[in-house]
Amino acid sequence: MMRQFETLVDVITGQESKSGHIEYIDGQHERRRISFTELYRAALGVLWNFQQRGLTPGDHLILFTPDNQQFIDGFWACVLGGIVPVPVAVGISDAHRHKLMQIVARLGRPFLYTTGPQVARLEKFAASEGLSVASTVINERTFTAEHVADISQPGQVHRSAPGDTALIQFSSGSTSEPKGIVLSHANLLANIRAIIERSRLTPHDRGLSWMPLTHDMGLIGQHLAQSAAGISQAIMPTSLFSRRPLLWLKEASNLRATLLSSPNFGYKHFLKVFDGKGLEGVDLSAVRIIWNGAEPISSALCTRFLDAMEPFGLSRATMQPVYGLAEGSVAVTMPKPDRKYGVLSVKRLSLAVGRQAQMEVPGSADAVDIVGVGQPIDDCRLRIADDNDAAVPDGIVGRIQICGGNVTDGYHDPD
């Protein structure tokens, strides 16, 4: 059971004296272990640097660094100082840089925390696109992780209130301008508490994640929830998983990890390499949960993955399909542990708003398999509604509507 933390400040200060740790895995033989005590002190030292640069409570700081340890130290420094962190994925394409520029424009005059090499790329991109506001931020309000060398002096802690903004998550912006989802400490703690209770997390668990920390599932569903539960955790860069996906479960075996996660594409990527190379000396019997979310879930792929990993000791009941969205912090529905997920075969043409969903023979040409994603978590209510926002009876297709302590009050308004 999680202590009744009211803010993320309580989470980091509450774990400061505990024995847990974070292990940063940068390769098969490259790792750094940082205790929660060391994390707290590092965050205070980074906060001192932030405050020396003029950041004050309520300021927006974009975290734009590919290094997981730099990101986490910077994130918790923001939390301790009442600064609002805005995580943004670095990526390698102009599309990622364009999204960053859009976010800079939406926030007005944010600060930017990044690395020296990224600054050079951003300056060049902003100049080529004629983005004067972004150029000003890059030139005048950016500081790099390389210049945060002295963390021996602690910053001044700001005691945030539950209703204060703790984090702004920006949507992908793949189909429109990215929206800034404003989450309070109360939103996050409501969701974290529900995740811990539904999944029965305890300090005896051990987490391993390659999910990006700029994504709600990697940051909130993994790192923050596990930190609040006092769970030691290992974090791999997403790029390392992309290059060497088999290392994910090799490390799970070595660490005796109990908690894993991946979206649909991760299982597909893993199996593609596994089918050609196989695994040796891996024991997955310690794993009790693998969360599967963040993308549409393929029943066939779940079966393929579980079939392939069962000889290595992975229980079929470990696969836990979940549903959530950034507006709900992260989690909306989750199954109870130790229960095998269910699958419904539904007639494809019946899946339209307002229609009765019709069951179909599994495997038939007209069938589409829908994977069950559990029940609403505590403090989050859900209903299915039609296009007029009226609730529909069971069995009728509709749109998902949610409300509760974990749900945002709205989007960041630049005006």
Side-chain angles (χ1 to χ4, degrees):
M1 183 71 67
M2 185 184 87
R3 285 176 50 191
Q4 293 301 305
F5 301 127
E6 292 189 341
T7 69
L8 290 181
V9 180
D10 298 334
V11 171
I12 185 66
T13 56
Q15 302 303 347
E16 183 265 333
S17 61
K18 300 295 175 59
S19 60
H21 64 266
I22 299 176
E23 193 161 338
Y24 298 100
I25 299 174
D26 297 318
Q28 187 165 3
H29 304 294
E30 301 173 61
R31 58 199 64 223
R32 295 157 286 162
R33 178 177 289 195
I34 307 297
S35 70
F36 285 154
T37 299
E38 291 170 321
L39 169 60
Y40 178 72
R41 291 174 181 168
L44 281 176
V46 174
L47 173 60
W48 181 85
N49 282 267
F50 288 173
Q51 291 172 335
Q52 292 302 301
R53 290 296 303 267
L55 272 79
T56 59
D59 284 338
H60 297 137
L61 177 62
I62 297 174
L63 298 176
F64 192 72
T65 171
D67 183 279
N68 284 334
Q69 187 171 357
Q70 289 174 356
F71 180 95
I72 285 180
D73 289 352
F75 177 87
W76 285 112
C78 288
V79 167
L80 288 168
I83 301 160
V84 179
V86 183
V88 180
V90 173
I92 59 174
S93 69
D94 281 353
H96 288 95
R97 286 183 275 274
H98 184 65
K99 176 182 177 180
L100 173 66
M101 301 306 170
Q102 288 181 302
I103 291 172
V104 168
R106 293 285 295 176
L107 293 175
R109 286 177 54 81
F111 290 90
L112 176 64
Y113 185 54
T114 186
T115 63
Q118 290 300 326
V119 170
R121 295 186 185 102
L122 293 174
E123 287 176 335
K124 182 179 179 180
F125 182 79
S128 68
E129 297 290 318
L131 302 172
S132 58
V133 173
S135 293
T136 300
V137 168
I138 295 166
N139 292 326
E140 300 178 5
R141 298 171 72 82
T142 293
F143 48 106
T144 65
E146 292 88 343
H147 289 135
V148 181
D150 179 10
I151 59 171
S152 60
Q153 300 186 65
Q156 183 67 41
V157 175
H158 173 79
R159 304 306 300 191
S160 297
D164 291 345
T165 298
L167 169 68
I168 297 180
Q169 296 188 88
F170 271 87
S171 59
S172 65
S174 57
T175 58
S176 61
E177 186 173 327
K179 301 189 194 77
I181 299 155
V182 179
L183 296 172
S184 68
H185 289 269
N187 292 150
L188 291 171
L189 267 297
N191 210 217
I192 287 167
R193 187 176 299 110
I195 291 169
I196 291 172
E197 292 179 356
R198 177 61 55 87
S199 298
R200 302 171 192 160
L201 304 186
T202 77
H204 299 293
D205 280 307
R206 182 70 180 270
L208 170 64
S209 175
W210 58 261
M211 296 287 288
L213 290 165
T214 52
H215 188 278
D216 51 14
M217 193 170 175
L219 178 60
I220 305 169
Q222 305 296 299
H223 174 60
L224 296 187
Q226 291 175 21
S227 296
I231 295 171
S232 292
Q233 54 203 270
I235 302 175
M236 295 172 57
T238 304
S239 59
L240 178 59
F241 172 79
S242 297
R243 296 192 309 271
R244 302 185 58 189
L246 300 185
L247 187 61
W248 174 43
L249 294 191
K250 289 179 181 178
E251 289 294 343
S253 174
N254 294 336
L255 296 167
R256 304 297 292 162
T258 62
L259 308 171
L260 305 175
S261 66
S262 175
N264 201 71
F265 84 88
Y267 302 107
K268 186 175 182 179
H269 182 54
F270 175 89
L271 288 171
K272 182 179 179 180
V273 178
F274 171 79
D275 289 343
K277 294 185 176 181
L279 280 173
E280 292 183 1
V282 169
D283 177 7
L284 301 176
S285 60
V287 178
R288 70 180 190 88
I289 294 176
I290 305 180
W291 290 289
N292 185 343
E295 286 185 333
I297 299 169
S298 165
S299 170
L301 190 57
C302 291
T303 299
R304 274 188 62 209
F305 180 81
L306 293 172
D307 287 346
M309 294 300 104
E310 197 167 27
F312 299 95
L314 187 71
S315 166
R316 303 190 77 85
T318 59
M319 181 66 73
Q320 299 284 295
V322 295
Y323 168 73
L325 68 165
E327 285 84 351
S329 296
V330 59
V332 171
T333 68
M334 302 178 72
K336 295 180 179 179
D338 305 322
R339 296 185 182 181
K340 295 180 182 179
Y341 63 89
V343 179
L344 289 177
S345 292
V346 181
K347 189 181 292 289
R348 192 181 308 272
L349 295 179
S350 70
L351 294 177
V353 173
R355 296 191 61 179
Q356 174 77 44
Q358 300 175 20
M359 298 302 104
E360 184 57 282
V361 177
S364 66
D366 293 333
V368 57
D369 289 342
I370 297 177
V371 178
V373 290
Q375 302 78 36
I377 57 172
D378 290 348
D379 203 15
C380 183
R381 299 181 300 283
L382 178 154
R383 74 173 186 173
I384 307 300
D386 61 21
D387 287 334
N388 297 314
D389 290 338
V392 298
D394 289 349
I396 302 298
V397 178
R399 305 186 186 282
I400 298 171
Q401 297 181 337
I402 61 171
C403 65
N406 61 313
V407 180
T408 180
D409 283 339
Y411 300 101
H412 174 72
D413 184 355
D415 299 326

